[in-house]
Amino acid sequence: MTAPTASSRRAVWFHRNRTRITVLAVLGFLFLAALGGLDREDWLITILRGLAVGAITFLVASGLSLIFGLMDVLNLAHGEIFMLGAYLGWTVYTRPDTVVDVFVPMLLLGAPLVLMPWLRRGAARLRGGGRRKALAVGLLVAGAAGTVAAVARFPLAIWNPGVYTQSPITYSLAIDMGTLAPLPRGSFAGSPLLVVVGLLVAVVVFAVALQALAGRPGGTARVSPRRLTVSLAMAGAAVALLVARDPVVGWLFTLSTTTRFLLAIVVAVLLGGGLGAIIEVTLIRPLYERPIYQLMVTLGLGFVLIELVRSVWGRPEFTMAKPAAFAGTGAGCPAEGFRGLFSGCSTVKMFGGRVRTYNEAFVIAVGVLVLVTVALILKRTRIGMIIRAGVQDREMVEALGINVRRVFTLVFAIGTGLAALGGVIAAPSMGLSPQMGGTLLLLALIALAIGGLTSFPGAAAGAVLVGLVQQFIIRYGQIGIDLPFLAEPFKPSPPLVPASTVLLMVVILLLLPNGLFGKSSR
């Protein structure tokens, strides 16, 4: 039996992929044909805007694809985590004093939980027997009530969405005009020492009671010096932040808006990833054998997050000011050429038109950076190899001494962190509203269906197609399309913008049931 030649292998590859190649060729032809109805400069600007929408869609779809492709979990709260990332980013960027005030009780909440081995040993003494169980329930209620009561007594400099002059809308305008200032510091409702100690005690009581009710083994585990150091560092940082609150807030307000925007990205991604880890451990992990329950839980979690955002930030939409690096105006602006992208101007003259440096350059660059980084992590790093091996054969990887549960928690955290990154990147370009998560989740699902549900490159391709189709429909809705059988140019109406992506998805799925880059399950 002779080995297949290179030509025969190419022939087999073309035969297997002839439908995919034909679809991609038709899509490429249609985008080139659009050049006939637009000026070259207009066509290029529309392409850039489509890529920008595709980049934001990809940041949501990439995390969704990672979680679904590697863990077989469809997280329907992913869009709301995108939304939460936008609001968290706005808060760090616009009201860092509020973030400092919130961090103090958060650090105090986390400090005792780091010492979980000690707490488990305490819980072991409460397990067993009806009286001890009743005692554990009582301690759980008392700990929860004490925690809530103590947290509510911490001072918090925050906005008031019910009063226009103190609302997020007003503060967004103030930072845009350079007049934003720290809010007056509040005071503790009671003795600060008593509130801090009371919070620590309440958290310890709550955690011990929770461990006792969960039936976790106490064992003889000891707290490592590293855990003890981390716990003490968190408690010390909270106290230091409490004492030096005003100088820290003053320093944050002296930072440039560009630096504060980068800080907002880091904080939003870390909080989004941390929230994802908590969701995986507490809500998803017990339901791996019940996928329908996973859908219901994540769907309900999405509604909870929407209500949380409405209660804290209010219902009205508002904007997030662009950082100084992308908001320059006046002399020298708009800049010209590719170098102008680094001039600080808000717009640059390129391709015969004006390109917005944030919307059509920075957003696209972030999307490309995430695509390359995540692909390299999955293909070239040890953690990427462990993730892929854990998906293929979980028992074998566990036999090698690797904690696959922890790896899956990391994957979920990376996915939700990417969603939060998408939110904070999208906020200055598309604004903030409680509905933004649902819209992006729908676009991300369409992108995944087009590109292939479990394909990371497919998520990128699908997101780009969604963005391009939307922007071309919007543009042709403004100028019209000359059709041979109509006397007047046909102008697509606004409802056709979302409908066009759904139509594209339906056509592609009819021809390629697994999407453009999805693998057949047969």
Side-chain angles (χ1 to χ4, degrees), residues 94-117:
T94 310
R95 291 257 56 110
D97 44 355
T98 303
V99 178
V100 171
D101 289 345
V102 170
F103 254 78
V104 174
M106 283 182 64
L107 288 169
L108 291 173
L109 279 168
L113 299 180
V114 176
L115 307 176
M116 194 55 77

Side-chain angles (χ1 to χ4, degrees), residues 139-503:
L139 289 175
L140 183 73
V141 174
T147 302
V148 172
V151 169
R153 293 176 181 275
F154 277 82
L156 182 61
I158 196 170
W159 54 88
N160 184 352
V163 180
Y164 181 78
T165 55
Q166 303 174 21
S167 67
I169 299 174
T170 302
Y171 293 133
S172 292
L173 294 173
I175 196 173
D176 212 14
M177 294 185 293
T179 59
L180 189 71
L183 291 171
R185 183 179 190 177
S187 58
F188 276 90
S191 167
L193 180 62
L194 190 61
V195 173
V196 170
V197 174
L199 177 59
L200 291 172
V201 173
V203 173
V204 169
V205 171
F206 178 78
V208 168
L210 196 63
Q211 292 290 321
L213 289 174
R216 301 281 173 82
T220 58
R222 295 182 177 179
V223 174
S224 66
R226 189 178 64 176
R227 280 180 177 269
L228 188 58
T229 304
V230 171
S231 177
L232 291 175
M234 292 175 71
V239 174
L241 209 55
L242 195 59
V243 174
R245 186 261 186 193
D246 288 343
V248 171
V249 168
W251 172 74
L252 286 172
F253 273 89
T254 61
L255 296 176
S256 69
T257 52
T258 303
T259 305
R260 222 156 60 223
F261 181 67
L262 295 176
L263 185 63
I265 291 175
V266 173
V267 173
V269 170
L270 290 178
L271 291 179
L275 177 63
I278 294 172
I279 292 172
E280 197 278 337
V281 172
T282 59
L283 299 180
I284 303 298
R285 188 177 292 177
L287 300 174
Y288 274 120
E289 305 300 326
R290 300 177 177 179
I292 300 298
Y293 284 70
Q294 290 175 4
L295 293 177
M296 295 172 66
V297 165
T298 54
L299 183 64
L301 178 64
F303 286 116
V304 171
L305 291 178
I306 290 175
E307 292 305 318
L308 174 69
V309 164
R310 284 175 176 168
S311 62
V312 175
W313 285 273
R315 292 173 178 268
E317 300 180 8
F318 56 92
T319 59
M320 180 172 168
K322 291 184 176 65
F326 308 101
T329 57
C333 293
E336 295 189 6
F338 284 99
R339 290 185 179 179
L341 296 175
F342 306 97
S343 64
C345 293
S346 61
T347 57
V348 179
K349 287 184 177 178
M350 295 174 67
F351 312 123
R354 285 196 178 191
V355 174
R356 293 170 292 181
T357 52
Y358 185 89
N359 293 36
E360 280 102 51
F362 177 73
V363 171
I364 296 174
V366 171
V368 173
L369 181 64
V370 169
L371 172 63
V372 174
T373 303
V374 176
L376 287 177
I377 289 175
L378 290 177
K379 297 289 185 183
R380 303 291 183 185
T381 64
R382 183 174 181 272
I383 185 65
M385 182 185 68
I386 292 174
I387 290 172
R388 288 184 284 119
V391 173
Q392 295 296 326
D393 194 334
R394 178 172 180 160
E395 288 76 13
M396 184 196 72
V397 175
E398 285 180 333
L400 295 174
I402 297 172
N403 190 334
V404 176
R405 283 187 174 184
R406 191 174 297 173
V407 172
F408 278 11
T409 303
L410 176 64
V411 171
F412 208 95
I414 292 174
T416 53
L418 287 174
L421 172 64
V424 68
I425 294 295
S429 61
M430 62 183 292
L432 297 94
S433 72
Q435 295 80 31
M436 63 190 294
T439 305
L440 259 295
L441 178 64
L442 179 61
L443 285 181
L445 290 173
I446 292 173
L448 287 184
I450 291 174
L453 283 178
T454 58
S455 170
F456 188 72
V464 169
L465 281 175
V466 165
L468 289 175
V469 168
Q470 281 201 350
Q471 290 305 307
F472 273 106
I473 294 294
I474 290 173
R475 187 65 189 127
Y476 275 111
Q478 296 167 345
I479 64 174
I481 306 173
D482 290 322
L483 296 177
F485 49 85
L486 293 178
E488 297 292 330
F490 169 69
K491 292 186 177 181
S493 58
L496 277 179
V497 175
S500 61
T501 56
V502 176
L503 180 62

